[in-house]
PDB file of all heavy atoms in Angstrom:
ATOM      1  N   ALA B 199       4.913  16.908  67.541  1.00 91.00           N
ATOM      2  CA  ALA B 199       6.246  16.375  67.306  1.00 91.00           C
ATOM      3  C   ALA B 199       6.914  15.737  68.558  1.00 91.00           C
ATOM      4  O   ALA B 199       7.880  15.149  68.516  1.00 91.00           O
ATOM      5  CB  ALA B 199       7.176  17.428  66.790  1.00 91.00           C
ATOM      6  N   THR B 200       6.155  16.007  69.694  1.00 87.00           N
ATOM      7  CA  THR B 200       6.794  15.366  70.979  1.00 87.00           C
ATOM      8  C   THR B 200       5.758  14.311  71.549  1.00 87.00           C
ATOM      9  O   THR B 200       5.894  13.792  72.608  1.00 87.00           O
ATOM     10  CB  THR B 200       6.971  16.423  71.989  1.00 87.00           C
ATOM     11  OG1 THR B 200       5.681  17.238  72.121  1.00 87.00           O
ATOM     12  CG2 THR B 200       8.064  17.522  71.705  1.00 87.00           C
ATOM     13  N   GLY B 201       4.884  14.064  70.700  1.00 84.00           N
ATOM     14  CA  GLY B 201       3.839  13.033  71.096  1.00 84.00           C
ATOM     15  C   GLY B 201       4.078  11.522  70.670  1.00 84.00           C
ATOM     16  O   GLY B 201       5.188  11.038  70.689  1.00 84.00           O
ATOM     17  N   SER B 202       2.985  10.950  70.255  1.00 83.00           N
ATOM     18  CA  SER B 202       3.025   9.539  69.822  1.00 83.00           C
ATOM     19  C   SER B 202       3.850   9.352  68.697  1.00 83.00           C
ATOM     20  O   SER B 202       4.203  10.325  67.892  1.00 83.00           O
ATOM     21  CB  SER B 202       1.559   9.044  69.497  1.00 83.00           C
ATOM     22  OG  SER B 202       1.192   9.634  68.458  1.00 83.00           O
ATOM     23  N   LEU B 203       4.283   8.121  68.505  1.00 81.00           N
ATOM     24  CA  LEU B 203       5.082   7.687  67.230  1.00 81.00           C
ATOM     25  C   LEU B 203       4.353   7.962  65.961  1.00 81.00           C
ATOM     26  O   LEU B 203       4.866   8.599  64.977  1.00 81.00           O
ATOM     27  CB  LEU B 203       5.448   6.190  67.313  1.00 81.00           C
ATOM     28  CG  LEU B 203       6.167   5.683  66.048  1.00 81.00           C
ATOM     29  CD1 LEU B 203       7.646   6.408  65.990  1.00 81.00           C
ATOM     30  CD2 LEU B 203       6.467   4.103  66.274  1.00 81.00           C
ATOM     31  N   ALA B 204       2.956   7.722  65.966  1.00 85.00           N
ATOM     32  CA  ALA B 204       2.209   8.064  64.727  1.00 85.00           C
ATOM     33  C   ALA B 204       2.266   9.659  64.536  1.00 85.00           C
ATOM     34  O   ALA B 204       2.428   9.977  63.346  1.00 85.00           O
ATOM     35  CB  ALA B 204       0.797   7.715  65.021  1.00 85.00           C
ATOM     36  N   ASP B 205       2.102  10.411  65.493  1.00 89.00           N
ATOM     37  CA  ASP B 205       2.245  11.906  65.226  1.00 89.00           C
ATOM     38  C   ASP B 205       3.611  12.305  64.760  1.00 89.00           C
ATOM     39  O   ASP B 205       3.814  13.132  63.826  1.00 89.00           O
ATOM     40  CB  ASP B 205       2.029  12.671  66.533  1.00 89.00           C
ATOM     41  CG  ASP B 205       0.608  13.098  66.796  1.00 89.00           C
ATOM     42  OD1 ASP B 205      -0.010  13.355  65.610  1.00 89.00           O
ATOM     43  OD2 ASP B 205       0.155  13.201  67.725  1.00 89.00           O
ATOM     44  N   ARG B 206       4.719  11.710  65.275  1.00 90.00           N
ATOM     45  CA  ARG B 206       6.102  12.000  64.906  1.00 90.00           C
ATOM     46  C   ARG B 206       6.318  11.579  63.437  1.00 90.00           C
ATOM     47  O   ARG B 206       6.953  12.250  62.758  1.00 90.00           O
ATOM     48  CB  ARG B 206       7.102  11.325  65.771  1.00 90.00           C
ATOM     49  CG  ARG B 206       7.323  12.268  67.077  1.00 90.00           C
ATOM     50  CD  ARG B 206       8.231  11.678  67.959  1.00 90.00           C
ATOM     51  NE  ARG B 206       7.628  10.518  68.665  1.00 90.00           N
ATOM     52  CZ  ARG B 206       8.279   9.521  69.155  1.00 90.00           C
ATOM     53  NH1 ARG B 206       9.617   9.390  68.970  1.00 90.00           N
ATOM     54  NH2 ARG B 206       7.559   8.573  69.829  1.00 90.00           N
ATOM     55  N   THR B 207       5.674  10.398  63.160  1.00 90.00           N
ATOM     56  CA  THR B 207       5.849   9.890  61.739  1.00 90.00           C
ATOM     57  C   THR B 207       5.199  10.946  60.684  1.00 90.00           C
ATOM     58  O   THR B 207       5.640  11.239  59.744  1.00 90.00           O
ATOM     59  CB  THR B 207       5.208   8.583  61.584  1.00 90.00           C
ATOM     60  OG1 THR B 207       5.842   7.694  62.604  1.00 90.00           O
ATOM     61  CG2 THR B 207       5.390   8.051  60.174  1.00 90.00           C
ATOM     62  N   GLU B 208       3.990  11.417  61.095  1.00 92.00           N
ATOM     63  CA  GLU B 208       3.400  12.488  60.309  1.00 92.00           C
ATOM     64  C   GLU B 208       4.308  13.700  60.140  1.00 92.00           C
ATOM     65  O   GLU B 208       4.394  14.202  59.017  1.00 92.00           O
ATOM     66  CB  GLU B 208       2.009  12.887  60.862  1.00 92.00           C
ATOM     67  CG  GLU B 208       0.944  11.721  60.751  1.00 92.00           C
ATOM     68  CD  GLU B 208       0.735  11.304  59.267  1.00 92.00           C
ATOM     69  OE1 GLU B 208       0.721  12.148  58.362  1.00 92.00           O
ATOM     70  OE2 GLU B 208       0.649  10.098  59.103  1.00 92.00           O
ATOM     71  N   VAL B 209       4.895  14.212  61.195  1.00 94.00           N
ATOM     72  CA  VAL B 209       5.752  15.225  61.121  1.00 94.00           C
ATOM     73  C   VAL B 209       6.975  14.901  60.207  1.00 94.00           C
ATOM     74  O   VAL B 209       7.309  15.743  59.257  1.00 94.00           O
ATOM     75  CB  VAL B 209       6.338  15.559  62.434  1.00 94.00           C
ATOM     76  CG1 VAL B 209       7.561  16.642  62.438  1.00 94.00           C
ATOM     77  CG2 VAL B 209       5.296  16.084  63.400  1.00 94.00           C
TER      78      VAL B 209
END
Side-chain angles (χ1 to χ4, degrees):
Chain B
T200 52
S202 68
L203 179 60
D205 262 331
R206 274 178 289 151
T207 302
E208 287 304 319
V209 172

